Amino acid sequence: MPESWGASSGGTRADGREGLVVEGVAKQFGRFPALKGVSLTVEPGEFLALLGPSGSGKTTLLRVIGGLETPDAGAVALDGEDFIAMSPRRRRVGMVFQHYALFRHMTVAANIAFGLKVRPARERPKAAEIAARVEQLLSLVQLEGLGKRYPAQLSGGQRQRVALARALAIEPRVLLLDEPFGALDAKVRKELRFWLRRVHDETGVTTIFVTHDQEEAMDLADRVAVLREGVLEQVGTPAALEERPASAFVFDFLGDANRLPARLSGDLARFGDFTAPAVNTTGATGDVEAWFRPHETELAQDGPGLAVTVTDVLTRGGVIRAECRAEDGRIFEADFPRAAQPAGLAEGAPMRLRPRRVTVFAR
């Protein structure tokens, strides 16, 4: 990648740049409020994931940033400039969608070069420069030698690489990715996930990535912004969201979860005849809901704990998952390495279940 790309593409530089600032953005479609005053900042060169269920507002926010939707209220600024008021050419946003949006009648090379060739004559690079940039991008996205092929001659993963190369060709100030791997199978998605992170690190382009896949967001992003019904629930590093979720929704959405009612006493959650250390991120007191992951769950044949019956034992690679039912019908899950399988674990076995630690929220 030429040295000049990092200087022009929104990379991390100590030059006083302010990054992308979203402030109080609201957007309504008819009676449906898609965004309800969302505010966040994306640092120059950062990889931010917008994560949330369908209808949470993540794609609407991406489209507002990209200029495809005009907000009803609020502002978007890039390096201190009004991003919404900028012309599309000056805004210089690269966008990649789920379904590639490649020109079927153009070769791979022509698709990548398209954004450069349609520039006004005074801004258009020379033909030799465009050809050189296309070759650089083909190398970057690991498609060397495929420039003369057509999209129909490529796999889904290869087409998505072409779409990304085309978005990068214009040297975008911001790169927007709207569930770009959604149409691909799980194995290809995982391969492209790590490849995309490498491309981001090489180019330094400020990147915003929309996904509803928690694992994808946590693997890829520097920070993750979790949205729910048009509201920003929490933004932070993957580790911060895992360790200190701001709400029960965030905890539940980020992965499989068990929960039990408890009484909070200092930094301990009390459950009848047993207790567990408690992480209290919201200042909850008194009667609380205690949440814990399957890997934070213990099963034993006796001792303190909730009486459960094992209903199923599943093996996934090196991990065993036990599904259990309490006497009131609630279902719990517990994960163990195969080498640390609890004694007596079998379908139909009575066991005692207890969490090693919990995160508590007000009921």
Side-chain angles (χ1 to χ4, degrees), residues 267-326:
D267 57 359
L268 285 178
R270 297 190 175 276
F271 310 85
D273 67 342
F274 65 100
T275 63
V279 177
N280 189 350
T281 64
T282 60
T285 59
D287 292 330
V288 296
E289 200 77 28
W291 294 73
F292 51 104
R293 302 287 181 202
H295 68 265
E296 299 173 318
T297 305
E298 295 180 347
L299 284 176
Q301 290 179 296
D302 50 31
L306 179 70
V308 297
T309 300
V310 178
T311 56
D312 204 355
V313 180
L314 309 169
T315 301
R316 300 175 179 176
V319 176
I320 292 175
R321 168 161 291 190
E323 295 184 353
C324 307
R325 183 186 298 273

Side-chain angles (χ1 to χ4, degrees), residues 31-69:
R31 291 186 172 184
F32 175 68
L35 295 171
K36 306 173 184 176
V38 172
S39 298
L40 60 85
T41 297
V42 186
E43 300 297 329
E46 184 176 25
F47 194 123
L48 179 80
L50 299 179
L51 177 66
S54 297
S56 61
K58 54 191 186 295
T59 293
T60 301
L61 179 58
L62 195 81
R63 290 174 63 85
V64 167
I65 293 169
L68 301 179
E69 299 285 354

Side-chain angles (χ1 to χ4, degrees), residues 65-81:
I65 293 169
L68 301 179
E69 299 285 354
T70 301
D72 300 325
V76 180
L78 181 65
D79 299 330
E81 297 182 274

Side-chain angles (χ1 to χ4, degrees), residues 174-205:
V174 180
L175 179 64
L176 306 178
L177 306 169
D178 190 4
E179 303 211 45
F181 306 147
L184 305 175
D185 64 56
K187 186 174 185 296
V188 175
R189 283 176 73 114
K190 199 157 192 175
E191 291 172 355
L192 289 184
R193 182 185 307 171
F194 297 108
W195 165 81
L196 177 60
R197 181 67 217 202
R198 182 184 63 78
V199 170
H200 171 266
D201 291 342
E202 288 189 25
T203 61
V205 180

Side-chain angles (χ1 to χ4, degrees), residues 341-363:
Q341 179 176 333
L345 182 65
E347 187 174 340
M351 304 288 282
R352 307 294 289 188
L353 178 147
R354 52 185 175 264
R356 282 191 291 273
R357 75 156 202 170
V358 299
T359 302
V360 298
F361 302 100
R363 287 192 202 174

Side-chain angles (χ1 to χ4, degrees), residues 20 25 84 87 107 146 189 191 208 210 225 231 236 272 301 309 327 349-350:
L20 182 73
V25 166
I84 294 173
S87 66
T107 64
L146 300 185
R189 283 176 73 114
E191 291 172 355
I208 304 175
V210 162
V231 174
Q301 290 179 296
T309 300
E327 294 174 353

